[in-house]
Amino acid sequence: SETVRGLRTHMRNDLAEAADWHLAATDSMQWDGLLQKVQARSPHGARRCFWLLHGVYAYFKGFKQLDENPLDVPDMRRDYSPKKLKKGRTKRVETLDIPKFWEGIYTLKFKTSQEAIRIIQLSGWRRSGVLRMRWDRIDWKNGVYWVQPGDRGWKGYAGPMAMNDYVVQVLKERQARTANERIRAGALGETQERRRQAGEEWVFPAYRGSEGPMREVRGSFNSISKRLPYAVQAHDCRRGFASIGRTVLGSGWMLGRLMAHPQLGQPDEDAGSRQTDDYVEKFLPAERIASNKVAGAIMEIAMGDISDALQSKFLDKGIDLRRGELIQLIELQDDDTEALESEARQKLAA
């Protein structure tokens, strides 16, 4: 499994120095010294190594082959436990926090994570659907991604998905970059060859191991969350896309189509009709235009270059994009309206 392959990698690389250490003769100070070296390279790797070693000791201690577990120390457990964010959870990436969110994307170490999260945010698609994209499903000419029946991450949807210009641009950048990487890795051995083949199939091949697509970007979202007043996950990008989409489009069924809700297609279509070239010619151009509007709004907010039209739409929702703050919308009750009308009549009479 992926987990076993990952642990074996840690043992070969991060824990190679301890290959000849005897478990019973190694104390907590020695282990902590080694784990500190690993932590300097990768905090996540150090945590995985700590709990791998902790489990090994616990196993032998459980069978009475070791008397104690030198890693079962409160200070070490605290230092090598996942850092819990002190901030509460949210349901979406809030509109006013999009600039900080995008700053966080570009500080990520790995380009692959940057590109995956950009597409998740700009498409409104589910994380697993984006991470499991395949190159041969992309119709570059029409700006369409073809989802096949049974594909994971689409909740039963099958058919064409309109890709906006921003998503297409990220994919083209990634295609050019990874093509060069595969050329450089072509003569490096069997493992690299399998990775090259995986990169030819999957848009986002697994970083560790040699087969299949990426499965998670949780660590990247944890890094981005440090810039925000709350923790974010991949699905919060989808909710944020929906929130902006409702304001920009004002159309529930169109937004549902962009986000691959199979029950929210065209009023007169059935599931099979989405698989036809006629559907691509008839409906996809409108969907691409709508998707461009939503993604374009996201990028305007992210870059701080707010158009008058977008500013006006969000002011109606109580959000001042240019000043980056919420505004109080005053809603008049019936009695308030009557009072204003009475005042106006009195002034006219005077």
Side-chain angles (χ1 to χ4, degrees):
S1 69
E2 182 185 10
T3 300
V4 172
R5 289 197 299 268
L7 294 177
R8 285 175 177 168
T9 300
H10 286 303
M11 292 177 69
R12 286 196 306 270
N13 300 334
D14 298 327
L15 300 177
E17 182 181 331
D20 298 325
W21 294 7
H22 294 282
L23 293 178
T26 307
D27 60 23
S28 59
M29 294 293 292
Q30 287 176 277
W31 285 123
D32 191 46
L34 176 58
L35 291 170
Q36 288 290 339
K37 296 178 184 178
V38 178
Q39 191 171 46
R41 297 191 300 270
S42 169
H44 176 68
R47 291 194 293 270
R48 295 196 73 181
C49 288
F50 172 81
W51 289 107
L52 169 62
L53 293 168
H54 190 282
V56 170
Y57 273 104
Y59 175 84
F60 286 110
K61 186 178 178 182
F63 283 97
K64 309 297 183 184
Q65 296 184 34
L66 288 175
D67 295 329
E68 62 180 18
N69 183 348
L71 281 79
D72 198 16
V73 178
D75 286 347
M76 292 185 72
R77 291 172 67 95
R78 182 184 64 250
D79 291 343
Y80 298 108
S81 292
K83 303 301 182 184
K84 293 184 178 179
L85 294 170
K86 297 180 180 179
K87 308 156 187 177
R89 283 279 298 117
T90 184
K91 291 184 178 180
R92 62 174 178 265
V93 178
E94 298 292 347
T95 300
L96 293 180
D97 292 324
I98 286 178
K100 291 182 179 179
F101 181 85
W102 278 79
E103 288 176 7
I105 291 177
Y106 288 112
T107 62
L108 296 175
K109 180 179 179 182
F110 296 109
K111 280 279 189 181
T112 297
S113 298
Q114 291 184 20
E115 291 158 345
I117 294 175
R118 285 165 66 193
I119 292 180
I120 291 172
Q121 174 75 86
L122 291 170
S123 66
W125 299 348
R126 297 176 182 87
R127 168 188 55 81
S128 53
V130 171
L131 296 185
R132 299 181 72 85
M133 291 178 71
R134 298 173 184 261
W135 289 116
D136 61 3
R137 305 280 184 81
I138 298 175
D139 178 349
W140 297 103
K141 178 181 177 182
N142 295 304
V144 173
Y145 183 77
W146 284 92
V147 181
Q148 299 301 316
D151 279 0
R152 292 179 58 183
W154 299 95
K155 301 292 185 181
Y157 174 82
M161 288 298 301
M163 297 190 300
N164 59 60
D165 294 339
Y166 302 90
V167 169
V168 171
Q169 181 61 34
V170 176
L171 289 171
K172 286 182 176 180
E173 291 173 4
R174 175 158 183 77
Q175 186 183 49
R177 185 175 65 82
T178 55
N180 291 332
E181 289 178 356
R182 288 198 296 274
I183 291 172
R184 290 198 300 270
L188 295 181
E190 182 181 349
T191 299
Q192 286 77 10
E193 174 61 19
R194 290 201 301 270
R195 288 183 180 175
R196 183 188 65 79
Q197 293 173 356
E200 291 178 346
E201 177 181 4
W202 303 98
V203 175
F204 300 105
Y207 176 70
R208 294 187 182 276
S210 57
E211 298 177 358
M214 288 179 66
R215 290 168 176 78
E216 276 295 346
V217 281
R218 185 182 297 121
S220 297
F221 275 98
N222 287 342
S223 297
I224 294 172
S225 295
K226 295 176 182 178
R227 293 177 170 267
L228 302 173
Y230 46 79
V232 293
Q233 297 176 1
H235 205 69
D236 301 329
C237 291
R238 181 172 166 85
R239 297 190 186 102
F241 182 94
S243 178
I244 292 175
R246 282 192 295 269
T247 300
V248 172
L249 300 178
S251 170
W253 71 261
M254 176 59 82
L255 184 59
R257 286 290 299 122
L258 300 184
M259 301 179 68
H261 285 295
Q263 70 276 22
L264 292 176
Q266 300 289 348
D268 58 348
E269 73 176 7
D270 56 38
S273 70
R274 290 193 294 266
Q275 302 286 351
T276 65
D277 291 338
D278 180 65
Y279 181 90
V280 173
E281 294 178 2
K282 184 177 180 181
F283 293 117
L284 262 294
E287 292 174 13
R288 286 204 69 197
I289 291 172
S291 186
N292 271 320
K293 287 181 179 179
V294 181
I298 291 173
M299 292 308 303
E300 281 188 40
I301 297 168
M303 301 297 108
D305 185 16
I306 312 299
S307 65
D308 292 340
L310 191 64
Q311 171 76 351
S312 177
K313 287 184 177 181
F314 277 88
L315 283 175
D316 291 342
K317 299 293 183 179
I319 301 175
D320 188 332
L321 295 176
R322 288 174 175 160
R323 297 180 63 180
E325 62 185 23
L326 300 175
I327 59 177
Q328 183 68 37
L329 293 179
I330 301 176
E331 296 183 2
L332 297 176
Q333 304 297 324
D334 290 343
D335 53 349
D336 295 326
T337 304
E338 291 177 2
L340 289 174
E341 290 177 349
S342 176
E343 182 180 351
R345 284 195 297 269
Q346 292 175 5
K347 287 184 178 179
L348 287 173

